[in-house]
Amino acid sequence: DIEVSRSASGPVNAQMPRYPVAPTTALTAPATGWLSSPLSLGIPRPARAPSSRAAVAQNRDGEDGIPPCPLPPCPHMPVEPLSLPVDPSEHFFVPPDVTYLNVGTLGPMPRPAVSCSVDLWCDLEADPAGRYDWGYDDDGAPSSRMDAVRAMAADMLGVEGGCDELALVQSTTAALHWVASGLVSSGYLGKSKGRRVLTTDMEHPGGVACWEHYLNAGFIEGIDKVVLPAPATSKEEIVDLFHRVLEGNESKYSVVSVSHVLTTTGLVLPLPEIAQLAHDSGCLLIVDGAQAAGAIHLNISEIGADAYTISGHKGLLGPTGSGLLYVRSEARRFIRPAILDRGCGAYTQSSGTVPFHTVMGLGYSLRFTQLVGGLTAVAEHGQSLAAITWSGFDELANDFPGTVVLSPSPSSGLASSIISLSLPSGLCVNSVISRLSDDTGHLVVKKLPDYEGGTKYVKNALRISYHMYNNERDAHRTVELLRRAMQQELGGK
């Protein structure tokens, strides 16, 4: 029988985790050259390329397969296309002794993107009101650099409706709150309707917080969770799980809300099929796409989602506080958050001012991604590394009883560039992670919260997520260091 975990109406008493507070280090700006050298807090700035060459490189008409760039020319941006993988020490601020394998939590911004956005920020602060991007020039003509970022993102993410369907947000979690509030504003969710939300037991807490809020407020009756396997073996297996819940329950659910790529296991849910099931059951499909961009091929308009949220600070390598929300044009009559009353523009009287430098930082990170071949090329590169690691993890599972590879196999058609491993109960995952180092440096990986989303499978587990700055050596070294760490932990017991 299909397992569905239920949340009855009533208060949600989730205990908030406690985190150690790191000591604060004061940063003092240099006495001179602060505005002209905004990265001078002990961090070397990349050498400037000649402005004229940079301008030509940024605005050329598709030369070398690179789309023309609508952003202000930036002398820090590379002139020529780059090959994958890129050197993390040259193009990022990642120290040479660090192998960063946690883009699924926060992605590092490329050096050129940081420099370009900080330069624009410094320019803005010289005359904030006069130089802010209000969306129109002195003559009243449309002229928005931030909306150019939306246009770039729409093109790279496959949004057929372009800027009319894509808004800037501060995070995926915030975007999902916008969506939920919009469903209430339109009357789609109402206190008298008694409908429920269907999700899964492997969602990030930020992906269900909006539904928990309206559950407590009485606008929905409950939240049900499809229990997903780990590892999943086939698309048909996942589709069948949703089909068995939705079939015959056309009047029960109003919303199906799921992740595209699971934060727990990297599983890619078959969204077109789930969208068809949801729509056939009279539901809207709302998607948490935080982990998808840069981890899989992504064409949002082909998925069938009514709303799709994206984190700018993960696979897009943008700054924290950046993100995107897609709302399908046909679904706008149901999803009507007040903040979008005057459209999806970067600045409107409904949205108010947004951080200009943050939005532009996202734009220049997107430009850097274009220079390495685009998001699909990055995803394919990361998936090839994850496949190497999956094979190594499979060997670890054979050699260390109780070890489980939580992620689907590369041949399943459900894999991304994210891969997770659950360790035997006799090993402490935190201790193992602390041992992931050698003479050349250490690995930065993610310790997954136990039972995240309600799943019984994710316990004592770690997660690896690859991106453009990782290489095959990183993939092999991850397995080698993990094997050694597990052996060391067992030997010390």
Side-chain angles (χ1 to χ4, degrees), residues 232-250:
T233 56
S234 70
K235 179 174 69 174
E236 292 74 21
E237 174 188 23
I238 303 301
V239 173
D240 184 61
L241 293 175
F242 281 88
H243 179 262
R244 291 163 68 184
V245 175
L246 290 170
E247 185 180 26
N249 288 314
E250 287 79 4

Side-chain angles (χ1 to χ4, degrees), residues 10 39 115 245 250 277 324 422:
L39 296 181
S115 299
V245 175
E250 287 79 4
L277 290 172
L324 298 155
S422 178

Side-chain angles (χ1 to χ4, degrees), residues 304-474:
D306 297 290
Y308 193 105
T309 65
I310 300 170
S311 295
H313 57 259
K314 296 182 187 290
L316 296 183
L317 305 183
T320 53
S322 64
L324 298 155
L325 168 62
Y326 161 83
V327 180
R328 188 168 61 92
S329 296
E330 294 81 357
R332 285 294 294 275
R333 62 193 177 104
F334 303 119
I335 304 171
R336 296 171 57 186
I339 203 165
L340 296 182
D341 275 356
R342 288 170 173 81
C344 293
Y347 171 81
T348 71
Q349 296 295 326
S350 295
S351 66
T353 54
V354 296
F356 171 70
H357 51 284
T358 301
V359 175
M360 298 310 296
L362 175 61
Y364 285 115
S365 290
L366 292 175
R367 181 55 179 173
F368 190 84
T369 300
Q370 288 179 335
L371 291 175
V372 303
L375 287 169
T376 296
V378 170
E380 291 174 350
H381 171 71
Q383 288 171 23
S384 70
L385 302 182
I388 294 172
T389 303
W390 191 94
S391 296
F393 281 5
D394 192 44
E395 293 178 3
L396 292 178
N398 291 327
D399 296 341
F400 295 89
T403 302
V404 179
V405 185
L406 299 173
S407 304
S409 73
S411 61
S412 66
L414 301 172
S416 66
S417 59
I418 298 172
I419 181 169
S420 302
L421 186 74
S422 178
L423 302 184
S425 58
L427 295 177
C428 173
V429 66
N430 285 324
S431 297
V432 170
I433 289 174
S434 70
R435 294 178 179 272
L436 297 180
S437 62
D438 56 20
D439 293 341
T440 63
H442 68 277
L443 310 184
V444 176
V445 305
K446 166 76 172 179
K447 191 275 181 189
L448 288 172
D450 289 348
Y451 312 115
E452 184 163 37
T455 179
K456 65 182 179 181
Y457 296 109
V458 178
K459 182 182 179 182
N460 203 36
L462 56 83
R463 185 188 72 192
I464 307 294
S465 44
Y466 290 111
H467 211 272
M468 65 170 69
Y469 42 76
N470 297 122
N471 55 40
E472 289 189 8
R473 180 178 179 274
D474 296 338

